């Protein structure tokens, strides 16, 4: 009898697992989105830019980071071992270091989903076993608090327990979707049940506690995985509590800035300006978008629309980076760190632009893409991925930037006084939140390439890949994408298998891609092809059909809004989705980056160099080097500047600081007149 019951239970579990959606966002039954995630692993990069980046992630980024975090330098696994009673010692690393380890585990699982390497799964399952032993009987799991005698549970929000919780829940859901196993998921459920028991009741003690809002996304994913609505309700509680309570120092807030820094002055539904810590804000907005996708609440969506517009139209750099300043003040005069300041206030040299914030910008846009089905959100995802995200990691995948300025000048800053800004990438950052966040994004990027629509598929990102997925009606669709994007603008997508009935293929036309043509089997499509929109092609597709998208790849000069004072009379160079920079290895040794001027009428010639920086397209042009510029005094009398032309090349911004210590700038003053 026991054997029969066991078999029945196993069959039931198997059936539940098969039905379980396996998307990055588990949206199988999400009612209020226009585009949904494809299943993890349905799209694989095959060749070209992102295939190369994934190869580096698979063979360098994830293994190296694992060595760091499971060793004595990163010490993250050691913290779990000590909490589990398997090792003697003290907690090391930041208070939020558990979350960094969960993010790395998530990245490793995306790699496993692509290559099926059983050793990865065995390694991760070994770590899950350690984590399960570290978890306390009632579900509590925060190694910093567990290993610090002077600290109590949920005593102070500065210990970032919610941040760790959010990444735990998300990583566990992803592990379950990829493997079907419950070992990690059960840990997450046990922990979430504890959170619900503590934070679901309305109490002033904990009303302002959940300020680092990764737990909102994690709770929604746990709801989508288990169908237990308590987790969705708790996610909504954390949203509703923002702006609900009086902003004043309290025993749970001491030691960390209050107010706009943690988005608690204004209720989200009344918010129209992005404020405070950029990472906390964008995790918050992304989580709220997840909640809105489930509840359909229009007030949330309206607020998120305003916030997205505020970020992208007033507080985002040309690279897609966000979070202009390390320190500053909000419009309410609240102290902020690592975050948003006033609109159009965009310093170049002191730009903070934390790698996490940039990645979060793309995460927020990915969710807005789902809510609205509009290609402008994928434009921002792409802009971030090619520029302000990838700039956070070196070409070989083992050195990191925390902040990503748009100008680097030697001697301009005393980096010994900064805890996160550095003049070059480092193999380990004491605050290690950014590296695993970026690496998991690179590892999962193929899962952002396509989305499911009600009647077909949307192409969000371009790159050599193969898609083998099922549409919303359960029919199989196999596409093969061949392209040398972003270095070339031609993309060919062939249909290998599809249903007989007509369905949509939505082709994203980037906002910069004026003059794009879209053809099927060499014939122009009967669809509107407009930059900044999807071109929706509806037809009865058949095996062998080829969609050809040809996007002109012209290098252009880009200027900022007139209110961006630091970019007045300066321009950046952009080609396709890639932003370029000038780096000192490409100018004479006796010249500095501040001597560089753009000659406005000089040709900009794209040239691919397979041996440079892992293979990149450079922009060859003739610059002007000023030879009579003095920087000895604060102000100097000037007559006519003296320039000399210098033929050189610009490199993609993401690839700078890979040729030794260097100065760099994205924006350069422009001289328009012939000299």
């Amino acid at each position: 009898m026991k054997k029969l019951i066991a078999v029945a239970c196993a069959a039931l579990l198997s059936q539940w697992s098969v039905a379980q959606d396996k998307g990055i966002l588990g949206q199988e039954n999400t009612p209020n989105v226009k585009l949904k995630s494809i299943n993890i692993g349905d799209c694989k990069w095959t060749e070209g830019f992102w295939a190369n980046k994934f190869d580096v992630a698979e063979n360098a980024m994830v293994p190296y980071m694992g060595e760091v975090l499971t060793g004595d330098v990163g010490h993250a696994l050691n913290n779990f071992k000590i909490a589990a009673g398997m090792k003697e010692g003290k907690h090391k690393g930041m208070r939020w270091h558990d979350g960094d380890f969960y993010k790395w585990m998530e990245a490793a699982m995306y790699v496993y989903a692509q290559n099926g390497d059983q050793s990865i799964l065995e390694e991760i399952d070994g770590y899950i076993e350690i984590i399960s032993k570290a978890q306390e009987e009632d579900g509590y799991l925060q190694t910093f608090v567990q290993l610090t005698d002077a600290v109590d549970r949920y005593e102070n929000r500065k210990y970032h327990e919610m941040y760790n919780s959010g990444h735990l829940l998300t990583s566990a859901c992803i592990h379950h979707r990829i493997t079907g196993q419950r070992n990690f998921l059960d840990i997450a459920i046990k922990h979430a049940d504890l959170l619900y028991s503590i934070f679901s009741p309305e109490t002033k003690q904990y009303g302002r506690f959940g300020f680092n809002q990764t737990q909102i996304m994690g709770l929604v994913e746990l709801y989508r995985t288990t169908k237990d609505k308590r987790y969705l309700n708790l996610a909504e509680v954390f949203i509703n509590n923002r702006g609900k309570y009086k902003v004043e120092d309290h025993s749970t807030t001491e030691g960390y800035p209050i107010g706009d820094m943690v988005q608690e002055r204004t209720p989200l539904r009344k918010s129209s300006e992005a404020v405070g810590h950029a990472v906390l804000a964008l995790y918050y907005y992304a989580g709220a978008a997840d909640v809105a996708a489930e509840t359909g609440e229009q007030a949330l969506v309206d607020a998120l629309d305003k916030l997205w517009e505020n970020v992208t139209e007033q507080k985002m750099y040309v690279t897609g980076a966000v979070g202009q300043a390390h320190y500053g003040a909000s419009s309410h005069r609240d102290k902020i760190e690592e975050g948003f300041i006033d609109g159009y206030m965009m310093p170049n040299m002191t730009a903070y632009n934390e790698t996490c914030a940039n990645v979060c910008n793309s995460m927020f846009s990915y969710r807005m893409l789902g809510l609205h089905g509009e290609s402008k959100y994928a434009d921002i995802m792409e802009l971030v991925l090619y520029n302000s995200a990838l700039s956070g990691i070196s070409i070989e995948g083992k050195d990191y930037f925390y902040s990503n300025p748009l100008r680097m000048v030697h001697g301009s800053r005393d980096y010994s006084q900064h805890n996160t800004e550095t003049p070059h990438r480092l193999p380990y950052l004491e605050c290690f939140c950014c590296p695993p966040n970026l690496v998991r994004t690179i590892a999962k990027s193929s899962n952002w390439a396509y989305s499911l629509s009600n009647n077909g598929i949307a192409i969000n990102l371009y790159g050599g890949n193969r898609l083998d997925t099922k549409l919303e009606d359960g029919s199989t669709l196999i596409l093969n994408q061949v392209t040398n994007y972003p270095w070339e603008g031609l993309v060919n997508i062939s249909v290998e298998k599809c249903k007989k009935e007509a369905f949509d293929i939505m082709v994203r036309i980037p906002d910069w891609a004026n003059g794009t043509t879209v053809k099927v089997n060499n014939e122009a499509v009967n669809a509107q092809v407009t930059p900044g929109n999807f071109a929706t092609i509806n037809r009865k597709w058949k095996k062998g059909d080829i969609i050809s998208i040809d996007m002109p790849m012209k290098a252009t000069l880009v200027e900022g809004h007139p209110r961006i004072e630091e970019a007045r009379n300066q321009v950046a160079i952009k080609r396709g989705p890639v932003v370029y920079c000038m780096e000192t290895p490409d100018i004479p040794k006796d010249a500095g980056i501040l001597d560089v001027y753009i000659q406005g009428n000089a040709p900009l010639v794209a040239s691919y160099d397979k041996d440079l920086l892992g293979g990149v397209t450079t922009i060859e042009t003739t610059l002007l080097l000023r030879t009579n510029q003095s920087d000895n005094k604060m102000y100097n009398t000037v007559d006519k500047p003296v320039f000399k032309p210098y033929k050189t090349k610009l490199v993609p911004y993401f690839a700078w600081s890979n040729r030794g210590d260097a100065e760099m700038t994205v924006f350069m003053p422009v001289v328009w007149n012939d000299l």
Side-chain angles (χ1 to χ4, degrees):
M1 184 66 181
K2 289 182 178 179
K3 187 175 181 180
L4 288 174
I5 293 174
V7 170
C9 289
L12 183 62
L13 177 60
S14 174
Q15 183 181 11
W16 181 73
S17 297
V18 169
Q20 169 66 33
D21 184 70
K22 295 178 173 60
I24 291 285
L25 305 180
Q27 299 171 319
E28 182 181 27
N29 299 309
T30 298
N32 302 295
V33 291
K34 294 184 177 178
L35 295 177
K36 295 183 178 182
S37 297
I38 58 172
N39 280 348
I40 299 168
D42 280 5
C43 177
K44 293 180 173 64
W45 300 121
T46 54
E47 61 181 0
F49 186 92
W50 286 112
N52 293 338
K53 292 301 177 186
F54 182 84
D55 182 68
V56 175
E58 178 182 15
N59 296 298
M61 294 179 189
V62 172
Y64 171 75
M65 189 174 292
E67 292 174 7
V68 170
L69 290 173
T70 61
D72 292 335
V73 174
H75 206 267
L77 184 62
N78 284 345
N79 292 332
F80 287 108
K81 287 182 176 179
I82 297 167
M86 302 169 64
K87 186 181 180 70
E88 295 293 326
K90 297 181 179 179
H91 184 278
K92 292 183 181 178
M94 296 295 185
R95 298 157 178 167
W96 50 88
H97 207 32
D98 292 1
D100 302 337
F101 193 70
Y102 299 139
K103 281 184 283 186
W104 171 76
M105 292 173 68
E106 185 182 341
M109 290 311 302
Y110 293 133
V111 172
Y112 169 74
Q114 295 277 323
N115 66 16
D117 184 349
Q118 194 67 20
S119 66
I120 295 175
L121 181 58
E122 292 171 358
E123 180 184 0
I124 295 299
D125 282 349
Y127 300 147
I128 292 171
E129 179 65 21
I130 295 169
I131 292 169
S132 70
K133 292 178 180 178
Q135 186 174 34
E136 297 187 9
E137 187 62 32
D138 64 354
Y140 188 78
L141 182 59
Q142 308 284 346
T143 64
F144 172 77
V145 175
Q146 290 170 270
L147 300 177
T148 306
D149 293 337
V151 176
D152 291 330
R153 295 180 179 189
Y154 307 113
E155 171 187 310
N156 193 304
R157 62 188 187 182
K158 69 182 178 183
Y159 299 134
H160 292 263
E161 288 156 285
M162 289 300 162
Y163 172 88
N164 291 334
S165 295
H167 288 302
L168 165 63
L169 304 185
T170 298
S171 187
C173 288
I174 294 299
H175 178 270
H176 173 69
R177 288 172 194 166
I178 292 172
T179 67
Q181 299 174 190
R182 292 188 60 97
N183 49 340
F184 203 9
L185 183 65
D186 286 340
I187 295 171
I189 290 172
K190 192 174 180 181
H191 185 71
D193 288 346
L194 177 67
L195 293 181
Y196 186 84
S197 68
I198 295 173
F199 292 97
S200 182
E202 183 174 344
T203 64
K204 290 184 178 179
Q205 175 73 9
Y206 293 123
R208 295 167 61 198
F209 203 90
F211 81 101
N212 196 342
Q213 289 91 340
T214 60
Q215 81 277 9
I216 299 176
M217 285 182 287
L219 285 163
V220 174
E221 290 310 318
L222 195 60
Y223 159 70
R224 289 167 170 167
T225 302
T226 65
K227 308 301 185 288
D228 188 334
K229 200 167 184 180
R230 291 181 304 153
Y231 305 137
L232 177 61
N233 293 340
L234 182 57
E236 200 164 12
V237 166
F238 284 119
I239 293 174
N240 297 342
N241 281 349
R242 298 288 89 191
K244 184 176 182 179
Y245 297 92
K246 185 177 181 181
V247 177
E248 59 185 357
D249 274 322
H250 181 272
S251 62
T252 65
T253 70
E254 291 175 0
Y256 202 87
I258 61 177
D260 281 339
M261 169 67 172
V262 293
Q263 298 80 43
E264 64 177 347
R265 283 215 181 270
T266 308
L268 180 59
R269 294 167 181 84
K270 296 182 179 179
S271 297
S272 59
E273 181 188 10
V275 296
H277 195 290
V279 177
L280 308 190
L282 289 162
Y283 273 145
Y284 181 27
Y285 306 158
D290 282 337
V291 170
E294 298 299 329
T295 66
E297 185 188 342
Q298 192 59 44
L300 272 184
V301 176
D302 291 344
L304 293 171
D305 288 343
K306 294 175 184 176
L307 290 164
W308 189 88
E309 291 290 341
N310 180 253
V311 170
T312 59
E313 295 297 330
Q314 296 187 27
K315 299 189 178 186
M316 186 180 75
Y317 284 87
V318 68
T319 59
V322 290
Q324 305 109 295
H326 195 159
Y327 299 104
S330 72
S331 55
H332 290 111
R333 301 298 181 265
D334 287 328
K335 175 186 177 182
I336 67 100
E337 298 175 0
E338 303 182 324
F340 294 111
I341 50 178
D342 290 351
Y344 306 111
M345 190 177 291
M346 314 291 289
N348 290 314
M349 192 166 63
T350 60
Y352 197 68
N353 296 346
E354 181 186 343
T355 300
C356 269
N358 306 335
V359 168
C360 290
N361 193 21
S362 63
M363 291 171 63
F364 178 35
S365 285
Y366 179 58
R367 286 158 170 80
M368 296 300 285
L369 172 69
L371 283 174
H372 293 300
E374 297 177 23
S375 69
K376 66 181 182 180
Y377 303 107
D379 286 344
I380 300 301
M381 290 160 49
E382 178 180 72
L383 180 68
V384 170
L385 286 174
Y386 281 111
N387 300 286
S388 56
L390 279 184
S391 61
I393 196 165
S394 58
I395 295 296
E396 89 287 352
K398 297 182 180 181
D399 297 285
Y400 316 106
F401 271 139
Y402 189 98
S403 60
N404 297 273
L406 274 70
R407 182 172 294 145
M408 176 66 68
V409 180
H410 289 329
S412 62
R413 309 184 77 186
D414 181 1
Y415 286 99
S416 67
Q417 302 299 313
H418 298 278
N419 62 343
T420 49
E421 290 118 310
T422 55
H424 50 261
R425 295 182 182 85
L426 298 175
Y428 182 72
L429 305 172
E430 184 180 6
C431 181
F432 204 67
C433 57
C434 294
N437 211 3
L438 174 54
V439 170
R440 71 169 176 161
T441 301
I442 294 170
K444 73 180 178 183
S445 57
S446 63
N447 300 285
W448 282 1
Y450 297 89
S451 294
L452 298 174
S453 68
N454 287 336
N455 188 38
I457 197 82
I459 303 168
N460 305 324
L461 301 175
Y462 296 112
N465 66 62
R466 189 171 191 271
L467 173 72
D468 186 347
T469 194
K470 292 189 183 301
L471 299 180
E472 285 286 85
D473 62 5
S475 63
T476 297
L477 175 65
I478 301 177
L479 302 178
N480 189 51
Q481 189 174 150
V482 178
T483 180
N484 198 26
Y485 191 90
W487 311 131
E488 297 175 9
L490 178 63
V491 180
N492 286 315
I493 302 170
S494 59
V495 179
E496 292 188 12
K497 186 176 182 179
C498 66
K499 64 181 180 179
K500 294 180 180 180
E501 296 80 14
F503 65 94
D504 296 337
I505 294 183
M506 300 166 61
V507 177
R508 182 176 65 91
I509 313 301
D511 58 355
W512 49 263
N514 293 305
T516 294
T517 60
V518 180
K519 298 179 180 179
V520 175
N521 303 331
N522 289 320
E523 294 184 2
V525 297
N526 184 22
Q528 190 170 0
V529 180
T530 306
N533 292 274
F534 282 110
T536 301
I537 310 168
N538 179 273
R539 58 180 283 160
K540 291 184 178 180
W541 300 91
K542 65 182 185 300
K543 181 179 180 179
D545 283 345
I546 298 177
I547 307 169
S548 297
I549 307 123
D550 196 354
M551 295 168 275
M553 284 282 188
K554 179 183 178 182
T556 58
L557 301 179
V558 179
E559 66 174 347
H561 189 284
R563 288 175 58 186
I564 305 176
E565 293 188 28
E566 285 222 23
R568 289 276 287 171
N569 301 316
Q570 299 181 58
V571 294
I573 292 177
K574 189 169 181 275
R575 181 176 181 268
V578 179
V579 176
Y580 283 77
C581 71
M582 189 70 242
E583 197 177 11
T584 46
D586 299 313
I587 60 176
K589 291 184 178 180
D590 61 349
I593 205 69
L594 298 180
D595 298 325
V596 175
Y597 289 65
I598 286 286
Q599 189 172 195
N601 59 347
L604 302 171
V605 180
S607 177
Y608 184 75
D609 188 339
K610 65 180 179 61
D611 298 318
L612 179 66
L613 299 168
V616 296
T617 291
T618 63
I619 303 296
E620 297 177 354
T621 190
T622 299
L623 298 172
L624 299 173
L625 298 178
R626 185 171 174 183
T627 60
N628 68 334
Q629 186 161 255
S630 172
D631 58 0
N632 294 327
K633 296 180 180 179
M634 184 76 167
Y635 300 99
N636 297 280
T637 301
V638 63
D639 293 320
K640 183 178 181 180
V642 178
F643 297 100
K644 68 175 182 180
Y646 186 77
K647 189 172 183 178
T648 186
K649 61 181 178 291
L650 292 92
V651 298
Y653 169 73
F654 75 79
W656 89 276
S657 189
N658 280 280
R659 296 178 286 173
D661 283 349
E663 295 186 337
M664 174 277 300
T665 190
V666 171
F667 277 99
M668 293 158 279
V670 59
V671 176
W672 293 103
N673 296 330
D674 293 332
L675 298 174

